[in-house]
Amino acid sequence: MMRSAIECAGKAGMALAVVMAVSACAVGGAKKETVDGLVISNPKGLAGKSDVIVPGFSVSFVQEDRKMAQASAGTYSNASSSTSAKMRGVSKATMQAITDFAYQDFKKKLVANGYSISDLAAIQATQNAAYQSQTFVSSPQPNTTPYLAYNNNMEELSFAPSGKKILKANNGLSYAAAGLDAAIINLNYIVHFGYIGAQSTETSGYSGTRASASTQFHPGINVAWYSGLHFLTGINNAWGNPNTHIYLNESLFSDQHFGKGSSRSSGGGYGDSFATRDISLQVDEHKYAAIAKQLLAQANDKIIGAMAARR
C-alpha cells in the first residue's frame, strides 16, 4: 500500500526532544554534570585552559535509519514492527557547505569567548609520536561517527571542513595532549532528518495475553543526542582522567517543514503480527541547509558557552 505526501515536520506535535536522562555522579573520581541540555564529564578539566588546537572536526549527516520493536506473549501472540527511513535530495556539496559553516562558526565563537586557537602546523611539526600515530582519513567518509556505538542501524556520511581530513582518534590522543601547552579538541556533530520511536507491550485480558509492537517516524531535522567534543589536556589512565567530554543530552530538534515523502507498509493485525514500513523523504536541500546551520550554530553556542563558563 502506497501513501504519499507525508509532510516532513511543520505539523503540531512533530517537535520532539529526544531526552536521555543522566544523573550527576562521579565516575573514576571525575564528576559528571548535567546542565542546559548538556552532559559535561569532568568539568574541572576545562579550568584555566584557553589555548586550543582543533585537529578533529566533523559533521555526520544521517542518510538512512532503521528501528525495530518486538514482543512475545506466549506461544500464540507475537508481534514485531520495523520502520526504515531514507533521505534523498541533499547533495555532497550542500553537506560540505554546512560543515564549513559549522567549523567557521565554531572557531569564531571560540575566539569571541576568549580562546586562542593554535595553528595545527605547530603540533604537526613536533616529534609528538602519539599525535603522529593518529589516523586521518579522506573526507567525506561513510560511517565514522562514534554515535554508531549507540545506533548501528544508521547509515551516515561524515565531512571534515574543506581541505581537511577526518580524525579517527585512538586512545593515544590523550598522550599527544600531554606533550602540548594547548588543549586538543576533537568534535563530531550528527545531523539527523528525524527520529524513530519504538514500543512493545504485553497485555493480559479476558481472551488471553496479547503482544503488540509499534514503531513511529517523527520527521524533523536535528543535531542528535551525543553530538559534542572531547577536550584533551593529558593522559587518561588508571590513575585518573584529566580530560573533559561535553555532549548534547537532548537533541536540538526543529519542526520546520523541509520536504515531502512517501511510505510503503505491509503486515499488521492481531495474534501473530508483523508490520514493516519504508519511508522515503525527498528533501528541499535549501531548507535543509538553512535549518541545519541554525541548529549547528545553537549547538556551538551551548558547548562553547559551557566551556567558557568553567574556564
Side-chain angles (χ1 to χ4, degrees):
M1 176 177 63
M2 179 67 73
R3 293 177 302 196
S4 62
I6 298 174
E7 297 297 327
C8 299
K11 293 183 177 180
M14 283 298 186
L16 179 69
V18 186
V19 180
M20 302 291 287
V22 179
S23 302
C25 60
V27 179
K31 181 181 177 183
K32 183 176 287 187
E33 181 181 338
T34 304
V35 60
D36 191 28
L38 296 172
V39 173
I40 307 172
S41 178
N42 189 31
K44 288 185 177 180
L46 300 165
K49 307 295 193 304
S50 59
D51 295 328
V52 298
I53 296 175
V54 190
F57 189 101
S58 62
V59 180
S60 302
F61 297 89
V62 178
Q63 309 294 303
E64 180 179 353
D65 202 357
R66 300 175 295 278
K67 190 166 286 187
M68 174 180 282
Q70 294 178 304
S72 177
T75 306
Y76 302 106
S77 182
N78 299 282
S80 70
S81 173
S82 67
T83 293
S84 66
K86 296 182 180 180
M87 179 182 74
R88 308 292 188 199
V90 181
S91 66
K92 289 182 180 179
T94 293
M95 289 184 275
Q96 184 66 68
I98 294 169
T99 302
D100 291 343
F101 164 82
Y103 180 60
Q104 295 301 327
D105 183 71
F106 182 75
K107 293 196 301 180
K108 179 181 70 176
K109 288 172 178 174
L110 278 176
V111 173
N113 280 273
Y115 288 92
S116 174
I117 305 173
S118 297
D119 192 337
L120 275 177
I123 185 172
Q124 291 166 343
T126 67
Q127 299 300 312
N128 191 318
Y131 183 80
Q132 304 301 336
S133 72
Q134 299 301 305
T135 300
F136 290 85
V137 296
S138 60
S139 172
Q141 193 75 211
N143 301 330
T144 64
T145 176
Y147 185 68
L148 289 170
Y150 299 94
N151 181 3
N152 60 8
N153 293 316
M154 184 179 75
E155 301 289 335
E156 55 86 3
L157 190 61
S158 293
F159 287 75
S162 292
K164 298 184 179 297
K165 292 185 176 182
I166 296 170
L167 170 61
K168 296 184 72 173
N170 60 41
N171 291 335
L173 196 59
S174 68
Y175 285 83
L180 299 171
D181 293 329
I184 292 178
I185 289 177
N186 185 22
L187 178 149
N188 175 248
Y189 286 137
I190 306 105
V191 177
H192 207 312
F193 56 85
Y195 171 74
I196 303 175
Q199 299 82 34
S200 59
T201 59
E202 300 171 5
T203 57
S204 298
Y206 179 77
S207 58
T209 303
R210 192 179 75 181
S212 63
S214 64
T215 50
Q216 307 85 30
F217 176 66
H218 304 268
I221 298 170
N222 62 95
V223 179
W225 169 82
Y226 203 68
S227 293
L229 61 79
H230 290 270
F231 189 93
L232 307 174
T233 59
I235 298 172
N236 175 12
N237 55 33
W239 290 273
N241 182 7
N243 305 310
T244 303
H245 183 197
I246 306 176
Y247 60 90
L248 295 180
N249 192 39
E250 304 170 359
S251 295
L252 297 178
F253 201 98
S254 172
D255 62 355
Q256 296 180 63
H257 172 87
F258 66 99
K260 294 182 179 180
S262 61
S263 71
R264 184 183 300 274
S265 301
S266 64
Y270 295 102
D272 285 332
S273 175
F274 306 96
T276 63
R277 187 184 186 202
D278 297 312
I279 299 169
S280 179
L281 302 175
Q282 186 62 40
V283 175
D284 182 324
E285 70 175 337
H286 298 293
K287 292 180 179 178
Y288 177 95
I291 298 168
K293 288 177 181 179
Q294 180 184 36
L295 294 174
L296 287 165
Q298 291 177 20
N300 284 340
D301 286 335
K302 273 182 172 287
I303 289 174
I304 295 173
M307 289 167 54
R310 288 155 183 81
R311 187 177 57 217

